[in-house]
Amino acid sequence: MDRLTFILFLIFISVSFSSLAQIKDPDVILNNLKEAALKINDYVVDVNIKVDVDFLKVPDAAARIYFKQPDRIHFESESFALLPKDGLNFSPASLLKGNYTAFYEKEDEVDGHKTSVIKVIPLGETDNVILSTLWVDQSKNVLRRIESTTKVNGTFLIELNYPDIKSEIILPSEMIFTFNVDKLNLPRTITGEIEPDKKQKPGSSLTTGKVMITYSNYKVNRGIPDSVFEKK
């Protein structure tokens, strides 16, 4: 090996290790994720909602969701929809807007997609979330999975699927939200609009529920007036 070839080899090795270290830097990964998310200033999307809770029979619902940075959400539906509030906003910019510490845990595959697993611990005492685990697809700078443990609502899991497209802006086509449901704390306005499942297990007050949301007809960065998000 001549001297020039040896130098080029050392440069290649140096760049390779540098890139590898950067890929595993949680702050770099999360900053790239936030930058990609901030390209989406607002969107309107139609959704179909299917609820699966073992002691309730909830009819499927159609709705429309309005989103505007950083964390404004407006939900419209002519029919009843049992939808956990935490599941409406999956934007990384909102999830990572406060002070936090993060560390890289490992590489993992989610439905055949290579992801980097990042642990995020919020530093604010008033934050409801104690710990979040993010599965980040660095090839598209999107979240494939989110698991969060909260002070009040237990642990919930969000799984996100995306269309197979090449674009700077990628939004999910499907979301599955898994959460804990305390039957004793369901408001009467909810229990009065749904039919109890006769197969309900006696004596238990905690169960797992799933909400499956399918997204269609996105309208992205068209501009949404602030009045849409005002309480009426």
Side-chain angles (χ1 to χ4, degrees):
M1 181 183 295
D2 59 41
R3 184 172 181 177
L4 178 59
T5 304
F6 180 70
I7 292 173
L8 291 175
F9 175 75
L10 289 179
I11 293 173
F12 172 77
I13 293 296
S14 176
V15 171
S16 297
F17 276 101
S18 176
S19 299
L20 183 62
Q22 186 178 23
I23 290 173
K24 292 189 176 182
D25 185 327
D27 294 322
V28 172
I29 295 172
L30 295 180
N31 284 335
N32 290 339
L33 189 66
K34 285 188 284 186
E35 286 179 7
L38 289 172
K39 293 177 182 177
I40 305 166
N41 186 57
D42 58 67
Y43 65 76
V44 180
V45 64
D46 295 325
V47 296
N48 286 311
I49 303 166
K50 181 178 178 63
V51 178
D52 182 11
V53 178
D54 63 10
F55 67 93
L56 298 175
K57 290 183 179 179
V58 184
D60 294 355
R64 177 165 290 180
I65 295 176
Y66 296 78
F67 168 81
K68 189 172 184 177
Q69 292 285 6
D71 55 6
R72 290 185 171 186
I73 289 283
H74 176 64
F75 178 82
E76 291 181 355
S77 178
E78 294 182 358
S79 56
F80 168 79
L82 178 62
L83 189 63
K85 184 178 179 181
D86 292 324
L88 282 174
N89 190 0
F90 49 78
S91 170
S94 175
L95 184 67
L96 301 168
K97 66 180 179 180
N99 294 324
Y100 59 85
T101 184
F103 61 92
Y104 182 97
E105 184 177 26
K106 61 180 180 179
E107 289 184 358
D108 195 11
E109 277 201 5
V110 176
D111 296 329
H113 300 279
K114 184 178 179 181
T115 66
S116 298
V117 182
I118 309 295
K119 296 284 188 182
V120 177
I121 303 173
L123 299 180
E125 293 183 1
T126 59
D127 201 304
N128 181 43
V129 176
I130 300 170
L131 170 68
S132 288
T133 305
L134 312 180
W135 282 257
V136 183
D137 183 343
Q138 292 192 64
S139 68
K140 297 182 181 293
N141 278 321
V142 296
L143 287 168
R144 293 281 175 185
R145 183 181 291 163
I146 308 164
E147 184 179 69
S148 290
T149 300
T150 67
K151 296 176 182 177
V152 179
N153 301 319
T155 298
F156 63 83
L157 176 69
I158 297 175
E159 299 170 273
L160 297 160
N161 296 316
Y162 299 85
D164 188 16
I165 59 173
K166 293 181 179 180
S167 173
E168 288 188 357
I169 295 178
I170 304 176
L171 285 161
S173 55
E174 181 185 46
M175 180 180 75
I176 301 173
F177 186 98
T178 305
F179 59 100
N180 293 326
V181 178
D182 188 340
K183 295 180 297 189
L184 298 179
N185 291 332
L186 284 174
R188 291 184 180 179
T189 53
I190 290 181
T191 56
E193 297 182 45
I194 52 185
E195 180 183 351
D197 191 337
K198 294 180 181 179
K199 296 180 180 180
Q200 175 181 347
K201 296 179 181 180
S204 62
S205 62
L206 187 66
T207 188
T208 298
K210 282 189 178 182
V211 176
M212 290 145 282
I213 304 176
T214 303
Y215 300 84
S216 61
N217 303 321
Y218 276 104
K219 295 178 177 62
V220 182
N221 294 342
R222 304 282 184 88
I224 302 175
D226 291 341
S227 58
V228 170
F229 304 94
E230 295 174 359
K231 292 185 179 180
K232 298 179 181 179

